[in-house]
Every structure is written in structure tokens, then in C-alpha cells.
């Protein structure tokens, strides 16, 4: 469930505001993420084949950092890794997270789900913040910013995709959360939309919003303009959450999306926020 960077996606909205060098670096990172994600989401590979291919990529990342990449995607990444001093661990974390999708097991607790989200989403954020750059926030705060935005984005994806994930045999909602609101995995598999399901979705939406808020609290206001691309993405994703809530959490049979005009409006609000002209 890595986020795509294709035209029309919620993540693409932030790409056009970046300078050329940063835009190309971020696109190269997302091409890598898309490739790794497709290993498990394409449905064309058996589990053992998918794991073997992910193993190749773990070795390829080691070759990339040793200066001997062999794949066209890692060859493209090489110059950006050097220019922006991109760390190796997030690339490996993406692989670890996608391995968890090869033979998915139920998530008993939210802490277990966070481990998955660190792999498939927070890893992207850790690379992105190095590309965006920052001068006034501490490295520790920016690491936390990337972590919390990663949790927020991926949790938004999980809420939006509950129904479509069921078609793939995947359930990301933690079982402890279902028990807390009086729901169950069996009822989710049966696509039961009732008051308990709405309480469950409301719980996850609140969590996602808390992560967006926590991430923003980590950033020195002087670094906000440089993080405009991230804020554009975040504003659009928060718009998706709002759409889901307004629609009564109808995610079991449909996927919430925003029209282009609304994405543009949210991107403009992000621009105002990053310049201190609008508060979230």
C-alpha cells in the first residue's frame, strides 16, 4: 500500500511546487516505492516468488550504497542519493513493510499496525524530508514529523480502502479496536455497516487527525515554506477524511475521492498555512 506518484493521485498534487532537482529526486523515490509495492500488489506472483524478488531488492539497495547498482531504478536513484544524502534504512524499511503484505496476518493491536505503517509509509516520509530540506527544525523533530505524517497518510489510506482491501483478503484494522467498539473481524468480512462500524471508523479518523496535528507541531514555522509539497498532500488527505466522515463512513462499498477543483482549493489553503496566513 505504498503511495503512488502517478498523475491524478493525491500525492501528485504536491510535486509541481518543487524545484526541478527536488521534483526529480522525489519522483525517483516514488518510482522505487511503486516498484516494491507492485511486487506484492500486482497479484501476478506467488508468495515465494514475491519474497525472492524483495530479497533481490534488499541486495540491490546494498549495491546502490556500495556504488554498484544494477537495476535501472536504482541507477536513477544513485545521483539523488548522493546529492540529498538519502539514508539507506528507509529504502530497506519499505521492503520490510511490503513483506508483511505477502502473507498478511491479522493485526491484533494498533502498535502492530504501526510497525507495518513505518515500513510502507513512514519510510517514504523519511526520504522526502531530506529532499524537501529544513534549516531551523531539529533532525529529531523532522524525523518525528516524517513518522507522524507517514502514520497519518497511511491510516487515511486504510480507512478509505477498507472495502477494496477486503477484496484482496486484507484487513488492516486492529482487532483490539474492533473489540473496543463492539465490532468484529467476522462482521467486517461480511461488510456489516452498523453503528459499531461507524464508531470504529470514527476512532481511526480521530487517530489520523491526531497524527496530522502532531506532525505539524514538530516543525519550526520558518521551515514551513520548504515543506509546502508535504502540506499540500496532507491537506488533500485530510480532505479525503472529511469526505469519508461527511458521507457516513461508507467505505465498505465505495472509495472516497475528491474532484480536481477541491484538491486545488486545499492546495491553496496549504500554501496559505505555510506562509502563516491560515491556521489548521
Amino acid at each position: 500500500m505504498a503511495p503512488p506518484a502517478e498523475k491524478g493521485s493525491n500525492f501528485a498534487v504536491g510535486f509541481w511546487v518543487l524545484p526541478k532537482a527536488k521534483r526529480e529526486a522525489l519522483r525517483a523515490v516514488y518510482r522505487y516505492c511503486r516498484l516494491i509495492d507492485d511486487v506484492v500488489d500486482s497479484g501476478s506472483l506467488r508468495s515465494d516468488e514475491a519474497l525472492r524478488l524483495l530479497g533481490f531488492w534488499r541486495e540491490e539497495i546494498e549495491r546502490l550504497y556500495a556504488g554498484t547498482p544494477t537495476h535501472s531504478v536504482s541507477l536513477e536513484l544513485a545521483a539523488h542519493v548522493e546529492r540529498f544524502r538519502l539514508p539507506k534504512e528507509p529504502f530497506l524499511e519499505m521492503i520490510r513493510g511490503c513483506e508483511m503484505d505477502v502473507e498478511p496476518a491479522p493485526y491484533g493491536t494498533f502498535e502492530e499496525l504501526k510497525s507495518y505503517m513505518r515500513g510502507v509509509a513512514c519510510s517514504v516520509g523519511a526520504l522526502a524530508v531530506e529532499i524537501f530540506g529544513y534549516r531551523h527544525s531539529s533532525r529529531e523533530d523532522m524525523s518525528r514529523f516524517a513518522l507522524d505524517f507517514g502514520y497519518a497518510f497511511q491510516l487515511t489510506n486504510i480507512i478509505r480502502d477498507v472495502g477494496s482491501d477486503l477484496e484482496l483478503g486484507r484487513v488492516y484494522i486492529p482487532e483490539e479496536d474492533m473489540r473496543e467498539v463492539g465490532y468484529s473481524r467476522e462482521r467486517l468480512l461480511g461488510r456489516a455497516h452498523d453503528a459499531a462500524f461507524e464508531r470504529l471508523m470514527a476512532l481511526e479518523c480521530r487517530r489520523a487527525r491526531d497524527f496530522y496535528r502532531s506532525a505539524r507541531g514538530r516543525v519550526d514555522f520558518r521551515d514551513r515554506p520548504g515543506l509546502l509539497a508535504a502540506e499540500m498532500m496532507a491537506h488533500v488527505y485530510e480532505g479525503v477524511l472529511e469526505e469519508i466522515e461527511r458521507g457516513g463512513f461508507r467505505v465498505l462499498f465505495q472509495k472516497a475521492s475528491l474532484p480536481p477543483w477541491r484538491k486545488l482549493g486545499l492546495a491553496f489553503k496549504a500554501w496559505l498555512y505555510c506562509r502563516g496566513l491560515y491556521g489548521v
Side-chain angles (χ1 to χ4, degrees), residues 56-71:
F56 162 81
W57 275 103
R58 185 172 279 106
E59 295 171 354
E60 180 66 4
I61 293 302
E62 295 296 339
R63 287 191 288 270
L64 169 62
Y65 279 83
T68 58
T70 62
H71 193 280

Side-chain angles (χ1 to χ4, degrees), residues 166-190:
L166 285 175
E167 295 173 9
L168 298 173
R170 296 176 183 173
V171 174
Y172 294 99
I173 305 297
E175 294 185 341
E176 69 174 3
D177 294 352
M178 297 188 216
R179 288 193 298 271
E180 179 179 333
V181 301
Y183 201 61
S184 68
R185 180 183 177 88
E186 291 69 31
R187 291 167 75 186
L188 181 60
L189 294 174

Side-chain angles (χ1 to χ4, degrees), residues 99-141:
E99 283 176 335
M100 296 175 72
D101 269 334
V102 175
E103 294 179 346
Y107 292 97
T109 67
F110 188 65
E111 285 301 314
E112 292 175 7
L113 179 62
K114 284 172 71 176
S115 175
Y116 168 74
M117 295 193 293
R118 281 195 298 274
V120 300
C122 302
S123 59
V124 187
L127 295 167
V129 295
E130 298 303 321
I131 294 170
F132 296 147
Y134 52 92
R135 296 178 58 191
H136 305 285
S137 306
S138 69
R139 179 169 292 275
E140 178 183 355
D141 278 339

Side-chain angles (χ1 to χ4, degrees), residues 4-6 9 11-19 22-24 26-28 30 229 232-233:
E6 292 121 11
S9 78
F11 272 77
V13 69
F15 276 63
W16 62 272
V17 300
L18 292 169
K22 294 185 178 183
R23 185 168 63 248
E24 290 178 350
L26 198 58
R27 280 180 172 155
Y30 273 85
M232 284 183 166
M233 298 173 195

Side-chain angles (χ1 to χ4, degrees), residues 23-274:
R23 185 168 63 248
E24 290 178 350
L26 198 58
R27 280 180 172 155
V29 166
Y30 273 85
R31 272 192 280 271
Y32 167 80
C33 295
R34 182 77 274 165
L35 187 153
I36 299 301
D37 190 55
D38 283 347
V39 171
V40 295
D41 273 359
S42 67
S44 61
L45 298 175
R46 298 193 313 268
S47 296
D48 60 331
E49 293 173 331
L51 290 172
R52 192 158 48 244
L53 187 52
L54 291 174
F56 162 81
W57 275 103
R58 185 172 279 106
E59 295 171 354
E60 180 66 4
I61 293 302
E62 295 296 339
R63 287 191 288 270
L64 169 62
Y65 279 83
T68 58
T70 62
H71 193 280
S72 60
V73 169
S74 43
L75 284 166
E76 181 185 4
L77 278 170
H80 305 301
V81 165
E82 181 176 356
R83 178 170 187 169
F84 294 100
R85 299 181 180 179
L86 301 181
K88 177 171 64 173
E89 187 57 32
F91 288 107
L92 298 175
E93 268 288 280
M94 170 60 66
I95 296 170
R96 183 191 67 80
C98 285
E99 283 176 335
M100 296 175 72
D101 269 334
V102 175
E103 294 179 346
Y107 292 97
T109 67
F110 188 65
E111 285 301 314
E112 292 175 7
L113 179 62
K114 284 172 71 176
S115 175
Y116 168 74
M117 295 193 293
R118 281 195 298 274
V120 300
C122 302
S123 59
V124 187
L127 295 167
V129 295
E130 298 303 321
I131 294 170
F132 296 147
Y134 52 92
R135 296 178 58 191
H136 305 285
S137 306
S138 69
R139 179 169 292 275
E140 178 183 355
D141 278 339
M142 290 309 295
S143 294
R144 188 69 205 196
F145 168 82
L147 193 68
D148 285 345
F149 255 7
Y151 288 147
F153 287 151
Q154 192 61 30
L155 195 51
T156 302
N157 278 339
I158 287 169
I159 296 164
R160 181 198 62 190
D161 296 344
V162 167
S164 57
D165 283 335
L166 285 175
E167 295 173 9
L168 298 173
R170 296 176 183 173
V171 174
Y172 294 99
I173 305 297
E175 294 185 341
E176 69 174 3
D177 294 352
M178 297 188 216
R179 288 193 298 271
E180 179 179 333
V181 301
Y183 201 61
S184 68
R185 180 183 177 88
E186 291 69 31
R187 291 167 75 186
L188 181 60
L189 294 174
R191 297 180 189 251
H193 185 130
D194 54 18
F197 177 76
E198 292 183 5
R199 289 195 298 271
L200 179 63
M201 291 297 99
L203 167 64
E204 305 305 346
C205 285
R206 286 195 300 272
R207 272 193 176 141
R209 291 192 183 283
D210 286 345
F211 282 123
Y212 286 115
R213 187 162 43 249
S214 175
R216 291 186 176 109
R218 298 284 178 172
V219 178
D220 187 298
F221 74 95
R222 292 170 292 181
D223 282 324
R224 285 183 191 171
L227 297 171
L228 175 58
E231 273 297 343
M232 284 183 166
M233 298 173 195
H235 273 66
V236 169
Y237 263 62
E238 287 172 296
V240 171
L241 274 185
E242 183 180 337
E243 188 72 16
I244 290 169
E245 291 167 332
R246 184 186 296 130
F249 305 106
R250 299 288 175 182
V251 293
L252 287 170
F253 299 98
Q254 62 189 39
K255 182 181 289 191
S257 62
L258 302 179
W261 64 266
R262 190 169 175 203
K263 290 183 181 181
L264 186 60
L266 290 167
F268 179 62
K269 288 177 72 173
W271 183 88
L272 293 174
Y273 168 76
C274 287

